[in-house]
Each structure stands twice: as structure tokens, then as C-alpha cells.
Amino acid sequence: MGVDDKFDAAKDKIKGKVNEAVGKATDDKSQEAKGHAQQAEGEIKDKVADAKAHLKDDANRVDDTEGGGRL
């Protein structure tokens, strides 16, 4: 889950930057927009991966107050 999700997000961001740069260099607004969209998708995937990791951490925390158990 975690590392694979982060890698996938980084891959989308890099592909987006490349498409944006190529679009700018060739004056192709469509490819430039595609690059922006890929970068946004990578950012969203990155946030989702972070949220998953935090939820997993929270689920595994143990309550150390009286009575014990999980939080």
C-alpha cells in the first residue's frame, strides 16, 4: 500500500511535468493541459496515500489509559 501508492503518485507528477514541458516547448496547449492534469492527479494520489498511512497508524495505536485496548 504505502510505498507503492507514493511511487505511483510520484510517477504521475513526473509524467505531468514532462508533458507540460513538451507542450510548452512545442506550443501544444492540449499536451500542456494534459501535463497539468497528470500533476494534479499525482498530488491527489499523494494525499490519499498519506491519509491511508495516517489511518493505518491510528488504527494500530494502543490506548494506554485504564482499561487498555485500542483507541
Side-chain angles (χ1 to χ4, degrees):
M1 165 165 79
V3 174
D4 291 337
D5 291 340
K6 288 293 224 176
F7 179 76
D8 193 35
K11 183 178 68 170
D12 284 342
K13 288 185 213 179
I14 291 168
K15 283 178 14 183
K17 286 181 189 243
V18 169
N19 275 323
E20 180 184 359
V22 170
K24 283 182 180 179
T26 59
D27 198 31
D28 183 348
K29 298 295 180 193
S30 175
Q31 188 164 12
E32 194 175 336
K34 180 181 176 182
H36 281 291
Q38 285 174 318
Q39 288 179 64
E41 184 178 353
E43 287 293 330
I44 291 168
K45 285 181 180 179
D46 201 23
K47 301 280 187 218
V48 169
D50 287 343
K52 281 183 185 179
H54 288 294
L55 287 172
K56 184 177 179 182
D57 288 345
D58 287 347
N60 290 327
R61 269 192 3 214
V62 175
D63 178 10
D64 56 349
T65 60
E66 256 185 73
R70 291 181 176 241
L71 284 177

